């Protein structure tokens, strides 16, 4: 068994080899999920005109896609942990493709809520988190660069898909454009098939040590049973906390059948308690104060980050920008976010900036919030281009750093579960903020309040995280001084 693990590790070395194929698959997953979600804003005016709805009602389509994607992110992590990331991504690709296919035949806006908002969102959720977690399993030293390349698919996809979707709408109407997007999203099944599972090196060594310990414990127990039966071994319902391999065996195997004359109820209870214990072990990072502070920051971030992607095109149209130029603003935003993904990923992998990844993340979120303050002053296409450049760059920077700072905080062994929780925290803000932004447009008659809301939320997110990180740093210094005084 050990030889088999060593052979599997040699076939998939870390920081290279098949890991770059995983990066390419994650790149395509972000193209088919996040870029397609951003391009839903291009359908905003078409949906509003066809169904005769107001801004708030039409905004629910985009918000439901984002909300369902993030709300069901823990489900994608659970499927990836229990079965494999390959199964999660392939099944998610099938669901999302079917959702877009059904959306092209919708006759009411409420049907779009279900087909595009719920069904497509669930499919995206099953693909997004497992694909991102796989990159963290294959990379250690160049993790930020790998994530920068993988997450740049959102920017490249937006850059390519935005004008293509606008052209498809003009040629085939919005129904034909959704049919083409459905066929494009079906490529998620191919990406999922290439996600070869790997066990992190640290986990392999830990499991090998635990198996040796458990083997020694089993042999000693067998000797004791041969000499003298132990009552504790007969009445024990829950294995020792050190024997993680026993827990894995209990969870992976189905519960034993209830047969008369056998101790099956006792084994049933042991299997149930072992499953609950292992599930708790997967999510014990939730008790970390640093993670709780980051979770609070994510709530504010998710409230403001999606509004510019939804209302940039309608705002540009309202100030007299033509449809092609308005869609081109999304392309500029997308291609510049690629630069932010890769450059911030490469820079934060350098030895001088590696300890300051969290500070870089805070800086990028704060700059993104400040950019939104000046949008109401930009009344033409040449003035909106600098906003698209700056906002796109810092958006790509913080998106690439989210899985990196999360991995630095919880460790690679909890990365999949932690990412599920992180993206789950985006769900409710993604659901309510676009309709609130549309309601502000309906009430005030302008987009000023909507962009001010986005700016305030992202600046507050950076302030919360910077204050909490400062408090934790002071606590570490006080504890270090206390330890020095003791010595």
């Amino acid at each position: 068994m050990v030889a088999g693990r060593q052979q599997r590790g040699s076939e998939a070395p870390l920081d290279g080899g098949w890991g770059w194929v995983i990066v390419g698959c994650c790149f395509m997953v972000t193209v088919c999920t996040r870029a397609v979600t951003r391009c839903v804003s291009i359908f905003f005016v078409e949906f509003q005109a066809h169904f005769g709805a107001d801004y708030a009602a039409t905004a629910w389509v985009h918000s439901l896609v984002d909300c369902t994607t993030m709300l069901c992110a823990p489900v994608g992590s659970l499927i990836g942990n229990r079965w494999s990331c390959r199964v999660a991504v392939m099944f998610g690709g099938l669901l999302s493709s079917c959702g877009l296919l059904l959306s092209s035949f919708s006759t009411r806006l409420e049907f779009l809520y279900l087909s595009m908002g719920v069904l497509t969102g669930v499919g995206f959720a099953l693909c997004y988190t497992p694909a991102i977690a796989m990159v963290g399993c294959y990379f250690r030293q160049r993790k930020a660069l790998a994530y920068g390349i993988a997450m740049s698919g959102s920017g490249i996809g937006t850059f390519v898909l935005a004008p293509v979707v606008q052209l498809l709408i003009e040629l085939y109407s919005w129904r034909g454009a959704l049919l083409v997007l459905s066929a494009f999203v079906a490529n998620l099944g191919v990406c999922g098939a290439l996600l070869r599972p790997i066990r992190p090196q640290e986990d392999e060594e830990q499991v090998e040590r635990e198996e040796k310990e458990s083997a020694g414990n089993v042999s000693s127990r067998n000797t004791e049973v041969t000499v003298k039966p132990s009552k504790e071994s007969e009445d024990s319902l829950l294995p020792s906390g050190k024997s993680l391999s026993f827990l894995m065996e209990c969870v992976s195997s189905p519960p034993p059948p209830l047969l008369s004359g056998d101790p099956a109820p006792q084994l049933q209870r042991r299997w149930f308690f072992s499953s609950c214990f292992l599930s708790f072990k997967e999510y014990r990072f939730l008790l970390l104060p640093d993670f709780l502070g980051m979770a609070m920051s994510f709530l504010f971030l998710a409230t403001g980050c999606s509004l510019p992607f939804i209302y940039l095109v309608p705002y540009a149209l309202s100030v007299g920008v033509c449809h092609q130029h308005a869609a081109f603003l999304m392309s500029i935003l997308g291609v510049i976010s690629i630069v932010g993904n890769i450059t911030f990923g490469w820079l934060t992998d350098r030895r001088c900036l590696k300890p300051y990844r969290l500070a870089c993340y805070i800086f990028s979120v704060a700059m993104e919030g400040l950019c939104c303050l000046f949008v109401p002053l930009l009344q033409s296409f040449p003035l909106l281009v600098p906003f698209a450049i700056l906002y796109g760059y810092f958006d790509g920077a913080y998106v690439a750093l989210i899985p990196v700072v999360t991995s630095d905080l919880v460790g690679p062994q909890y990365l999949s579960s932690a990412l599920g929780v992180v993206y789950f925290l985006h769900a409710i803000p993604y659901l309510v903020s676009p309709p609130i932004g549309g309601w502000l447009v309906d009430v005030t008659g302008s987009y000023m309040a909507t962009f001010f809301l986005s700016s305030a939320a992202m600046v507050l997110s950076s302030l919360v995280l910077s204050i909490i990180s400062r408090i934790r740093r002071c606590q570490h210094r006080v504890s270090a001084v206390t330890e020095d005084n003791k010595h």
Side-chain angles (χ1 to χ4, degrees):
M1 185 179 297
V2 176
R5 285 202 183 93
Q6 291 175 352
Q7 183 180 1
R8 181 172 52 188
S10 62
E11 291 177 356
L14 297 178
D15 293 288
W18 193 259
W20 294 114
V21 178
I22 302 298
V23 170
C25 292
C26 185
F27 174 88
M28 284 302 302
V29 169
T30 54
V31 169
C32 295
T33 56
R34 303 311 299 161
V36 171
T37 302
R38 290 179 177 180
C39 289
V40 172
S41 62
I42 300 177
F43 293 91
F44 191 94
V45 178
E46 302 294 331
F47 291 158
Q48 191 177 22
H50 182 81
F51 296 106
D54 56 8
Y55 281 92
T58 310
W60 277 104
V61 178
H62 189 283
S63 63
L64 279 172
V65 176
D66 265 338
C67 173
T68 310
T69 301
M70 301 307 171
L71 188 66
C72 298
V75 179
S77 299
L78 183 64
I79 294 177
N81 292 335
R82 289 293 181 266
W83 287 279
S84 69
C85 296
R86 177 180 294 169
V87 173
V89 175
M90 293 180 69
F91 184 60
L94 178 63
L95 287 181
S96 56
S97 179
C98 292
L100 291 174
L101 179 64
L102 293 175
S103 299
S104 64
F105 297 99
S106 61
T107 57
R108 298 180 60 185
L109 194 61
E110 291 78 7
F111 187 81
L112 273 179
Y113 294 161
L114 295 177
S115 60
M116 182 180 291
V118 177
L119 186 59
T120 303
V122 171
F124 286 166
L126 298 184
C127 299
Y128 193 56
T129 308
I132 294 175
M134 284 291 291
V135 177
C137 295
Y138 273 85
F139 285 87
R140 292 293 181 269
Q141 299 299 324
R142 292 179 286 182
K143 183 185 296 183
L145 177 61
Y147 271 123
I149 297 173
M151 304 300 285
S152 66
S154 177
I156 294 178
T158 305
F159 173 73
V160 176
L161 288 180
V164 171
V165 168
Q166 184 63 44
L167 182 62
L168 289 174
I169 292 175
E170 294 176 359
L171 293 177
Y172 307 111
S173 77
W174 62 269
R175 297 184 186 275
L178 287 178
L179 281 175
V180 176
L181 283 180
S182 172
F184 176 72
V185 168
N187 289 291
L188 286 170
V190 180
C191 297
L194 296 175
L195 295 179
R196 188 171 67 188
I198 182 177
R199 185 190 298 272
Q201 187 175 359
E202 293 86 351
D203 292 349
E204 287 187 1
E205 296 174 356
Q206 181 181 1
V207 171
E208 289 176 4
R209 290 194 301 267
E210 289 168 351
E211 285 184 349
K212 291 179 181 179
E213 293 178 2
S214 62
N217 294 334
V218 170
S219 61
S220 61
R221 285 181 183 178
N222 290 338
T223 305
E224 293 177 0
V225 170
T226 304
V227 177
K228 184 179 179 179
S230 174
K231 188 176 181 180
E232 293 181 357
S233 62
E234 295 177 357
D235 297 335
S236 176
L237 297 180
L238 189 64
S240 175
K242 297 181 181 179
S243 181
L244 184 60
S245 60
F246 181 81
L247 294 176
M248 294 296 295
E249 182 181 356
C250 290
V251 175
S252 60
S253 60
L258 292 175
L259 298 176
S260 59
D262 293 335
Q266 182 181 6
L267 295 179
Q268 285 274 0
R269 291 192 297 268
R270 174 179 291 188
W271 179 86
F272 174 76
F273 288 127
S274 301
S275 302
C276 295
F277 179 75
L278 185 59
S279 299
F280 172 75
K281 295 275 287 184
E282 291 178 356
Y283 289 94
R284 64 179 180 181
F285 60 87
L286 293 173
L287 303 178
L288 294 175
D290 293 339
F291 186 83
L292 295 177
M294 185 177 290
M296 186 185 302
S297 173
F298 283 140
L299 291 176
F300 291 110
L301 172 67
T303 302
C305 67
S306 63
L307 293 176
F309 289 100
I310 300 174
Y311 293 104
L312 179 59
V313 173
Y315 171 74
L317 294 175
S318 68
V319 296
V321 179
C322 65
H323 285 78
Q324 287 295 337
H325 284 172
F328 189 62
L329 285 174
M330 293 293 294
S331 298
I332 295 174
L333 193 149
V335 74
I336 297 300
S337 68
I338 305 166
V339 182
N341 287 138
I342 298 176
T343 55
F344 256 67
W346 181 81
L347 287 173
T348 53
D349 269 340
R350 302 304 95 192
R351 186 174 300 177
C352 57
L353 289 179
K354 206 167 189 178
Y356 304 103
R357 285 171 171 170
L358 183 60
C360 294
Y361 168 80
I362 295 173
F363 173 76
S364 61
V365 173
M367 290 301 298
E368 201 174 30
L370 292 177
C371 289
C372 292
L373 280 176
F374 301 97
V375 173
L377 303 177
L378 310 177
Q379 301 288 330
S380 62
F381 176 74
L383 293 178
L384 286 171
V385 170
F387 165 77
I389 292 174
L390 291 176
Y391 190 88
Y393 181 81
F394 290 111
D395 179 78
Y398 92 80
V399 167
L401 289 178
I402 283 179
V404 176
V405 296
T406 304
S407 178
D408 292 341
L409 181 63
V410 303
Q413 65 273 23
Y414 299 114
L415 180 59
S416 179
S417 301
L419 284 177
V421 174
V422 165
Y423 294 128
F424 172 80
L425 294 172
H426 288 66
I428 302 301
Y430 275 1
L431 177 66
V432 300
S433 60
I436 290 175
W439 175 77
L440 290 175
V441 175
D442 292 331
V443 171
T444 62
S446 68
Y447 293 86
M448 183 180 298
T450 300
F451 283 98
F452 281 168
L453 173 64
S454 175
S455 174
M458 286 187 285
V459 171
L460 187 59
S461 172
S462 61
L463 287 177
V464 168
L465 193 56
S466 60
I467 291 172
I468 292 176
S469 62
R470 183 66 178 175
I471 293 174
R472 296 294 296 172
R473 191 179 299 112
C474 293
Q475 290 178 349
H476 288 316
R477 289 179 180 175
V478 171
S479 61
V481 171
T482 305
E483 291 294 331
D484 291 340
N485 292 333
K486 288 182 180 179
H487 289 299

